[in-house]
Amino acid sequence: MLGQFFDPFIFERLPAQDQRPSQLYLEAVENCDVYLGIFGKSYGSEDKEGISPTEREYDLAVQLHKTRLIFLQENDPGLVHPKEKQLTGKAGREVIRKKFSSVSMLKAAVYAACVNYLQTYEYIRVGPFDASIHTSAGLADLDEQKVNRFIELARIKRAFPLPVGTAS
């Protein structure tokens, strides 16, 4: 199901290219709707300023107000790179993170977070459409002719008690 809504960009799966890596992964963040970060114990290679690609991606996602879903691998704290601890701390002050200790736990957590995202932004609905509420809709949004047509048909087919023209 998630493949219908999400097209993941995984830098590590790209073929060799004549393009700067930082340009490519930052463009991917700019073009995404959801930034999914999987943080482990390694901070990664650092640029001239001592910042890893993962932290650059995360910071750009923050700057561009992207939805951020962050997953933390459970590790012995003594094995986690100090800058990785700082990055996970930064993320923890800004978003709710989910910990995982196995690939199956990560898959389940990512699935649940993605479904929650789809429900929150109403790409999918749990309940029936007719029971949903559009929070910004008001009476002025109703089409008077269509309401009267509905009343007319309901009177003919189901003996609806309101007279035609009630919407006026």
Side-chain angles (χ1 to χ4, degrees):
M1 176 192 80
L2 293 181
Q4 295 176 10
F5 297 97
F6 297 100
D7 183 20
F9 173 84
I10 302 172
F11 182 80
E12 290 78 7
R13 292 191 181 166
L14 293 176
Q17 297 181 40
D18 185 24
Q19 190 172 4
R20 291 184 59 219
S22 60
Q23 177 186 357
L24 193 60
Y25 65 73
L26 292 176
E27 281 177 8
V29 173
E30 288 176 10
N31 294 324
C32 78
D33 294 317
V34 178
Y35 172 79
L36 191 148
I38 302 173
F39 299 170
K41 60 184 171 191
S42 173
Y43 183 66
S45 60
E46 299 177 27
D47 61 18
K48 294 175 193 173
E49 296 164 356
I51 308 294
S52 73
T54 303
E55 187 159 4
R56 293 270 182 223
E57 291 173 348
Y58 179 81
D59 290 344
L60 183 58
V62 170
Q63 179 186 341
L64 298 175
H65 307 288
K66 302 291 182 173
T67 296
R68 291 159 287 147
L69 305 176
I70 305 300
F71 301 89
L72 305 177
Q73 182 180 20
E74 290 184 354
N75 292 301
D76 177 346
L79 300 176
V80 179
H81 190 283
K83 286 188 174 182
E84 187 71 5
K85 286 180 185 177
Q86 289 178 321
L87 175 57
T88 59
K90 178 177 16 177
R93 290 186 294 277
E94 298 172 354
V95 296
I96 298 171
R97 305 162 299 162
K98 182 72 176 173
K99 290 186 177 183
F100 69 94
S101 60
S102 68
V103 172
S104 61
M105 281 181 68
L106 175 61
K107 284 181 179 180
V110 168
Y111 185 87
C114 288
V115 168
N116 181 63
Y117 172 84
L118 293 172
Q119 289 175 330
T120 299
Y121 292 96
E122 296 187 345
Y123 292 108
I124 59 173
R125 295 177 191 264
V126 177
F129 174 79
D130 291 349
S132 64
I133 297 172
H134 193 292
T135 56
S136 64
L139 290 176
D141 296 311
L142 295 176
D143 183 317
E144 189 175 313
Q145 288 179 324
K146 289 182 181 178
V147 172
N148 281 326
R149 179 70 179 139
F150 170 81
I151 292 171
E152 182 182 336
L153 290 172
R155 286 179 56 81
I156 293 167
K157 295 184 178 192
R158 299 198 177 174
F160 195 66
L162 290 178
V164 174
T166 301
S168 300

